[in-house]
Amino acid sequence: MEVGWEGEAPAEPGLGVGRKWEGEAPAEPGLCVRLGGSLALPGHPARGVGLGGSLALPELFGGRGGGAMLIELEDLTKTYGAVTALAGLSVALPEGAVGLLGPNGAGKTTMIRALLGLIAVDRGRGRVMGLDILTDALEIRRRAGFAPEDECLFPGLTGVRFVAYAGELVGMPPRDALQRAHEVLDYVELGEARYRRVESYSTGMKQRLKIASAIVHDPKLLILDEPTNGMDPAGREEILELCRDLSRAKGMNLLISSHLLPDVEAVCDHVVVLGGGKVLASGRIDELKRAHDRQFELRTRGDQRRFAELLTRRGATAEPLNDHLLIELPEGATAALLWEIADSHEEQIRLLRPRRSTLEEVFLGALALGGEPG
């Protein structure tokens, strides 16, 4: 085994980093250990840092494990005086990217705090990453990353020092935390701003900095609370792209709490809808967005307005929607009626598919069934 670090580490004034190691160096806790050209941090498997310290980004994160449930909560109840924040909440969430939806006061933030062990619940139990939320809260927080909605940056610190400090809080040796901070800041595209004070960052930069501080220790679970709140469209898309890459390319589990349905749909494959401290709906998005038996999207080759008139004569409704028609057939009719009309009037159908519910319809339907205001 060869011990040492070959190449220049990023130098920050006043931190004593940037010395060049060549050949053998004495092994001591906190030093980087090079195993076959990869960087091994204490407590972390060797990952793709090659000779000269170049970082192979696809190897930066550890990826997901097996198919076990990531989060299991049973009968969680939490009250604040006369207010019931969680009312017997029970849910099982798989690995992957999960969206947490609900109106204000639905219990989203309380649920996050409970599963991280930041608050004591009145009743119930749960497991996160196989750990008990009542007895293993500290270990859960070591293995999870959390980027809250609220401002949590320390004025006066540079970006790299803030991220390194977050690594130290979960037990990383200071030198390892600093090296890792440089790596994740490059990953979130804040490398050029690493030595700027955090109070000078824009809203989008601050959000990316919070995400960097949450992933510095390579967590198995990353929790993001309103990650795009208050951002312009360009900055919002950058954050969503970063979330997609963490989930799909890096294999990190995500729990994203948001009131923006398009954001959840852009990143997540599973969703939970909360209302009144209870689960109103839960499942895969593509399964919740059910197909409608009598509603279809249709596009013809010829005059679609004429085809719509023909459908109306047969008891159907047809509304123009972008470049096609949104059709609802009369009770008892099937898609065969559409083919019959097209054939009898020598019309070609170029597109025909059942209409599926939108995520907004799923969300509003769940709130209506749960008696929650939309």
Side-chain angles (χ1 to χ4, degrees), residues 23-188:
E24 297 286 339
E28 58 181 87
L31 284 182
C32 301
V33 181
R34 185 159 57 81
L35 303 173
S38 295
L39 178 66
L41 301 180
H44 296 261
R47 296 193 180 119
V49 177
L51 298 178
S54 61
L55 178 66
L57 279 178
E59 307 297 327
L60 182 58
F61 301 99
R64 286 194 274 268
M69 286 295 170
L70 183 70
I71 297 172
E72 297 174 285
L73 304 176
E74 182 181 345
D75 195 31
L76 282 195
T77 301
K78 176 64 180 178
T79 58
Y80 297 97
V83 177
T84 300
L86 297 178
L89 184 147
S90 297
V91 69
L93 303 178
E95 294 188 334
V98 179
L100 188 59
L101 296 173
N104 291 336
K108 301 188 299 296
T109 299
T110 304
M111 173 182 155
I112 290 173
R113 290 175 177 169
L115 65 87
L116 288 173
L118 296 174
I119 59 171
V121 295
D122 302 334
R123 187 177 70 245
R125 59 184 180 175
R127 301 184 75 81
V128 178
M129 299 175 286
L131 300 169
D132 193 304
I133 64 171
L134 303 180
T135 59
D136 302 320
L138 185 59
E139 187 59 30
I140 290 173
R141 293 198 291 273
R142 285 197 182 107
R143 298 188 190 183
F146 179 39
E149 177 185 7
D150 299 331
E151 184 72 62
C152 62
L153 309 179
F154 302 147
L157 285 186
T158 63
V160 70
R161 283 307 306 159
F162 176 79
V163 176
Y165 179 64
E168 292 179 41
L169 286 178
V170 294
M172 296 179 70
R175 194 173 297 183
D176 298 343
L178 181 62
Q179 176 64 43
R180 178 71 173 179
H182 283 291
E183 295 168 1
V184 294
L185 285 172
D186 286 334
Y187 172 69
V188 301

Side-chain angles (χ1 to χ4, degrees), residues 86-299:
L86 297 178
L89 184 147
S90 297
V91 69
L93 303 178
E95 294 188 334
V98 179
L100 188 59
L101 296 173
N104 291 336
K108 301 188 299 296
T109 299
T110 304
M111 173 182 155
I112 290 173
R113 290 175 177 169
L115 65 87
L116 288 173
L118 296 174
I119 59 171
V121 295
D122 302 334
R123 187 177 70 245
R125 59 184 180 175
R127 301 184 75 81
V128 178
M129 299 175 286
L131 300 169
D132 193 304
I133 64 171
L134 303 180
T135 59
D136 302 320
L138 185 59
E139 187 59 30
I140 290 173
R141 293 198 291 273
R142 285 197 182 107
R143 298 188 190 183
F146 179 39
E149 177 185 7
D150 299 331
E151 184 72 62
C152 62
L153 309 179
F154 302 147
L157 285 186
T158 63
V160 70
R161 283 307 306 159
F162 176 79
V163 176
Y165 179 64
E168 292 179 41
L169 286 178
V170 294
M172 296 179 70
R175 194 173 297 183
D176 298 343
L178 181 62
Q179 176 64 43
R180 178 71 173 179
H182 283 291
E183 295 168 1
V184 294
L185 285 172
D186 286 334
Y187 172 69
V188 301
E189 298 184 353
L190 286 178
E192 294 185 2
R194 72 183 77 211
Y195 298 129
R196 282 175 51 184
R197 293 190 175 186
V198 297
E199 62 266 30
S200 71
Y201 283 19
S202 67
T203 299
M205 293 171 68
K206 287 179 179 178
Q207 193 61 49
R208 293 204 299 273
L209 184 66
K210 288 195 290 185
I211 293 176
S213 69
I215 64 176
V216 65
H217 59 304
D218 189 11
K220 183 177 180 181
L221 169 64
L222 173 62
I223 302 173
L224 303 173
D225 193 0
E226 300 288 354
T228 61
N229 196 28
M231 299 184 65
D232 59 48
R236 177 168 157 254
E237 182 54 39
E238 289 175 359
I239 294 297
L240 294 178
E241 182 57 38
L242 180 61
C243 292
R244 282 191 290 264
D245 188 71
L246 284 168
S247 174
R248 299 171 187 177
K250 307 301 184 289
M252 189 173 290
N253 298 295
L254 268 60
L255 178 62
I256 300 177
S257 174
S258 178
H259 67 283
L260 298 174
L261 275 65
D263 289 6
V264 169
E265 196 162 13
V267 177
C268 302
D269 40 40
H270 195 100
V271 69
V272 178
V273 180
L274 297 188
K278 298 179 290 185
V279 174
L280 303 181
S282 177
R284 287 189 57 84
I285 292 177
D286 56 1
E287 294 174 356
L288 291 173
K289 293 167 61 175
R290 65 182 180 86
H292 296 264
D293 294 336
R294 294 189 295 115
Q295 294 183 1
F296 295 86
E297 296 177 13
L298 177 145
R299 184 172 67 245

